[in-house]
């Protein structure tokens, strides 16, 4: 019989050769090659792990999922990490957990209000609407692009029960102020950390401070598993609830392939079920199945080892964009890190000043024609999006900055795949635009 271990070794050796042949670095040709805003950055280790997991053929959560979630927990310094199939699912699950009746008076209920912002990505807001609660949109500050704390204070009513905010493009929101307000009013806080994996606030990692936090592993983010996400918490009850919602709503928390870890599988009472009904088939929540596969987790295991280096590169690229844009500071409002924070920037965000003689779209059109990719700040003003217009939300005061951002703001990439040559090319293109225009 063929020795499968020998075959496996040969497959991995071939995978390393394949990586070298298929993904060897391409030469950058200015004006011909793209300067993307984001992308996968990987080497042979990700490919080998994906192949190893495929050869294991365990498929569902297994050894790589355990290793990946442990590594995330170590990196963030949190107790519980639950893997899921996307950042949007992570947001949905974090929010779902807070609707559980097991939380008693603290459970979120339809018509409760949740503070958020309209200048962001929809996945931070959609769970609020999906569960019948009311998002209350507060304006953001420019140039941190995070919630305006004074306006947020004014937006709190007796119906406010939760604050759900993203660290915009990696820049932490003012966690001191938000957590203080949450303590004062007994509110839940969810950190959408999808764009900020590796950012720090007062020396602690974002995603380790609020009651729950989420991560996305979509390729544009700090590390990737293709699709993928995670929910993090230090609260054991919330961790159990997230797991229940993630895994069909079931009450049992045994991992795949495990049985009776609580020792009480057939000796408990639940709902109106007969005594001793199999705990593995007891459903205490109205749940989903949003789990990650072990092949995704295997890629994550290789990616997370690179995360500290990726964060350094993001910070370095941000500094370089700052140098480039500073030359034209009469036209641009440049981004600013929130006080007491050290962002692992998702992007370099720029807003055109009111008196600037060219428009955002003229500039981004020029950059994109020269193959330098830009993006607007996601949904712009979410309340103006077709899917949101007729929904039940409130605006606290006015969204003046949000509207200004919708019309005048864009971002460029800071991802680790950007090279010095690319940034130099972008610097020349920006200069060409400004000279030609004026
Ligand atoms: C702030 C924020 N939250 C959530 C998500 C959703 O993540 P995913 O694409 O993994 O569903 C994104 C997506 O980019 C995001 O930017």
């Amino acid at each position: 019989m063929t020795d499968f271990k020998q075959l496996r070794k040969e497959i991995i050796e071939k995978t390393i050769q394949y990586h070298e042949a298929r993904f060897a670095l391409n030469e950058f040709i200015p004006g011909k090659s793209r300067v993307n805003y984001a992308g996968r950055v990987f080497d042979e280790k990700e490919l080998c792990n994906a192949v190893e997991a495929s050869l294991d053929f365990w498929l569902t959560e297994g050894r790589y999922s355990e290793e990946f979630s442990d590594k995330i927990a170590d990196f963030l310094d949190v107790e519980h990490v639950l893997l899921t199939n996307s950042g949007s699912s992570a947001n949905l699950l974090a929010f779902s957990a807070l609707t559980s009746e097991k939380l008693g008076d603290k459970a979120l209920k339809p018509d409760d209000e949740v503070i958020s912002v309209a200048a962001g990505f929809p996945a931070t807001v959609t769970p609020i609407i999906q569960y019948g609660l009311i998002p209350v949109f507060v304006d953001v500050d420019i140039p941190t692009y995070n919630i305006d704390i004074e306006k947020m204070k004014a937006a709190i009513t007796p119906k406010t029960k939760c604050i759900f905010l993203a660290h915009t493009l990696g820049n932490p929101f003012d966690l001191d102020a938000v957590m203080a307000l949450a303590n004062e009013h007994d509110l839940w806080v969810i950190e959408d950390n999808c764009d900020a994996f590796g950012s720090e606030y007062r020396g602690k990692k974002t995603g380790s401070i609020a009651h729950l936090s989420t991560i996305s592993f979509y390729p544009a983010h700090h590390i990737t598993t293709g699709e993928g996400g995670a929910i993090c918490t230090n609260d054991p009850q919330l961790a159990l609830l997230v797991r229940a919602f993630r895994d069909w709503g079931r009450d049992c928390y045994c991992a795949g392939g495990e049985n009776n870890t609580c020792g009480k599988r057939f000796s408990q009472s639940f709902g109106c079920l007969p005594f001793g009904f199999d705990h593995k088939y007891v459903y205490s929540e109205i749940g989903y199945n949003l789990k990650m596969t072990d092949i995704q987790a295997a890629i994550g295991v290789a990616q997370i080892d690179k995360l500290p280096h990726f964060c350094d590169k993001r910070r370095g690229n941000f500094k370089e964009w700052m140098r480039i844009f500073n030359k034209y500071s009469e036209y641009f409002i440049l981004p600013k890190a929130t006080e007491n924070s050290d962002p692992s920037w998702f992007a370099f965000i720029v807003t055109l000043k009111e008196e600037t003689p060219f428009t955002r779209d003229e500039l981004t059109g020029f950059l994109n024609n020269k193959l330098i990719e830009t993006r607007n700040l996601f949904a712009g003003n979410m309340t103006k999006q077709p899917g949101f217009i007729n929904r039940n939300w409130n605006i606290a005061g006015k969204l003046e900055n949000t509207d200004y951002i919708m019309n005048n703001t864009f971002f460029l990439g800071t991802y680790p795949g950007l090279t010095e040559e690319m940034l130099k090319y972008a610097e020349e293109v920006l200069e060409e635009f400004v000279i030609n225009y004026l």
Side-chain angles (χ1 to χ4, degrees):
M1 204 166 81
T2 321
D3 177 354
F4 76 85
K5 287 189 181 154
Q6 180 56 31
L7 277 176
R8 192 165 175 138
K9 198 166 156 266
E10 287 168 23
I11 291 168
I12 294 301
E13 281 164 8
K14 285 281 177 208
T15 304
I16 295 169
Q17 284 174 26
Y18 175 81
H19 172 269
E20 183 62 29
R22 169 69 179 81
F23 296 110
L25 279 185
N26 289 328
E27 192 193 351
F28 176 72
I29 305 166
K32 296 247 180 305
S33 316
R34 296 186 59 79
V35 181
N36 292 326
Y37 94 91
R40 305 155 302 156
V41 179
F42 62 99
D43 59 25
E44 73 286 353
K45 294 207 178 63
E46 281 79 356
L47 228 57
C48 289
N49 274 16
V51 170
E52 292 272 15
S54 303
L55 296 175
D56 284 356
F57 214 59
W58 181 260
L59 302 178
T60 56
E61 280 205 315
R63 66 178 176 120
Y64 283 111
S65 306
E66 197 177 330
E67 190 179 347
F68 188 33
S69 45
D70 285 351
K71 283 185 166 179
I72 297 169
D74 281 351
F75 182 83
L76 290 182
D77 194 18
V78 291
E79 288 291 318
H80 307 279
V81 173
L82 291 126
L83 301 176
T84 183
N85 63 350
S86 75
S88 303
S89 298
N91 281 358
L92 177 63
L93 290 170
F95 198 77
S96 310
L98 299 180
T99 67
S100 170
E101 284 180 1
K102 290 189 175 144
L103 296 172
D105 289 348
K106 290 274 290 168
L108 299 181
K109 290 179 219 46
D111 289 331
D112 286 346
E113 293 179 359
V114 181
I115 303 271
S116 196
V117 298
F121 195 81
T124 322
V125 174
T126 44
I128 309 172
I129 298 174
Q130 283 159 341
Y131 274 90
L133 286 85
I134 303 172
V136 176
F137 294 115
V138 178
D139 209 4
V140 295
D141 165 73
I142 299 175
T144 66
Y145 301 91
N146 280 306
I147 195 161
D148 181 315
I149 297 294
E150 289 313 310
K151 291 184 178 151
M152 177 178 170
K153 286 180 186 164
I156 292 180
T157 74
K159 287 179 74 183
T160 311
K161 293 287 154 35
C162 180
I163 301 168
F164 196 168
L165 294 169
H167 298 297
T168 307
L169 301 185
N171 195 15
F173 55 81
D174 182 341
L175 276 152
D176 277 356
V178 169
M179 294 313 290
L181 219 55
N183 285 337
E184 188 185 335
H185 296 275
D186 201 16
L187 312 175
W188 294 110
V189 182
I190 307 174
E191 286 172 75
D192 179 335
N193 202 31
C194 288
D195 293 340
F197 197 22
S199 291
E200 293 186 8
Y201 184 82
R202 286 197 188 280
K204 290 180 81 171
K205 294 281 184 324
T206 57
S208 68
I209 296 164
H211 300 103
L212 289 151
S213 73
T214 61
I215 317 175
S216 165
F217 304 121
Y218 190 73
H221 293 105
H222 290 61
I223 61 170
T224 188
T225 60
E227 301 290 354
I231 304 98
C232 310
T233 182
N234 284 314
D235 182 325
Q237 187 186 18
L238 293 181
L240 277 178
L241 290 173
V242 169
R243 180 186 292 277
F245 276 96
R246 187 194 62 174
D247 304 0
W248 308 283
R250 92 175 169 173
D251 204 70
C252 165
Y253 43 84
C254 286
E258 279 180 0
N259 280 316
N260 205 17
T261 48
C262 64
K264 296 184 287 190
R265 181 171 170 191
F266 298 106
S267 56
Q268 297 179 83
S269 281
F270 294 98
C272 300
L273 294 167
F275 175 79
F277 195 85
D278 187 351
H279 190 211
K280 219 176 177 47
Y281 291 91
V282 170
Y283 302 95
S284 51
E285 306 293 349
I286 304 298
Y288 311 91
N289 175 2
L290 300 173
K291 295 195 289 292
M292 184 183 262
T293 68
D294 220 38
I295 301 172
Q296 288 169 285
I299 297 165
V301 165
Q303 282 271 285
I304 198 165
D305 289 343
K306 300 182 170 76
L307 181 56
H309 168 66
F310 285 173
C311 293
D312 288 348
K313 287 284 287 177
R314 284 180 176 276
R315 289 183 173 105
N317 289 337
F318 180 89
K319 268 195 197 140
E320 196 50 18
W321 282 126
M322 201 62 150
R323 183 191 64 72
I324 293 169
F325 274 84
N326 244 326
K327 293 196 274 183
Y328 312 105
S329 57
E330 69 266 43
Y331 305 129
F332 302 119
I333 303 171
L334 300 180
K336 187 165 167 259
T338 297
E339 213 173 309
N340 303 313
S341 81
D342 183 10
S344 171
W345 293 98
F346 176 82
F348 185 80
I349 182 162
V350 179
T351 297
L352 271 65
K353 291 185 175 171
E354 263 174 62
E355 57 279 13
T356 298
F358 47 85
T359 66
R360 186 261 317 267
D361 293 350
E362 283 169 339
L363 173 55
T364 54
F366 189 83
L367 293 173
N368 283 282
N369 279 339
K370 298 277 183 178
L371 304 182
I372 299 165
E373 196 177 32
T374 66
R375 288 280 188 275
N376 295 342
L377 183 53
F378 302 130
N381 179 342
M382 208 121 34
T383 66
K384 302 201 170 174
Q385 289 281 347
F388 287 74
I389 286 174
N390 292 320
R391 304 287 169 178
N392 201 7
W393 40 257
N394 292 334
I395 292 176
K398 290 187 178 148
L399 299 183
E400 281 167 349
N401 282 351
T402 302
D403 280 334
Y404 195 79
I405 288 167
M406 179 177 65
N407 293 315
N408 299 291
T409 300
F410 70 98
F411 66 76
L412 291 145
T414 51
Y415 85 112
L418 285 184
T419 61
E420 263 177 47
E421 288 167 295
M422 293 177 188
L423 287 161
K424 185 169 167 289
Y425 168 68
E427 182 173 9
E428 287 163 10
V429 170
L430 182 63
E431 186 176 340
E432 186 186 338
F433 175 81
V434 175
I435 290 172
N436 279 355
Y437 199 91
L438 298 178

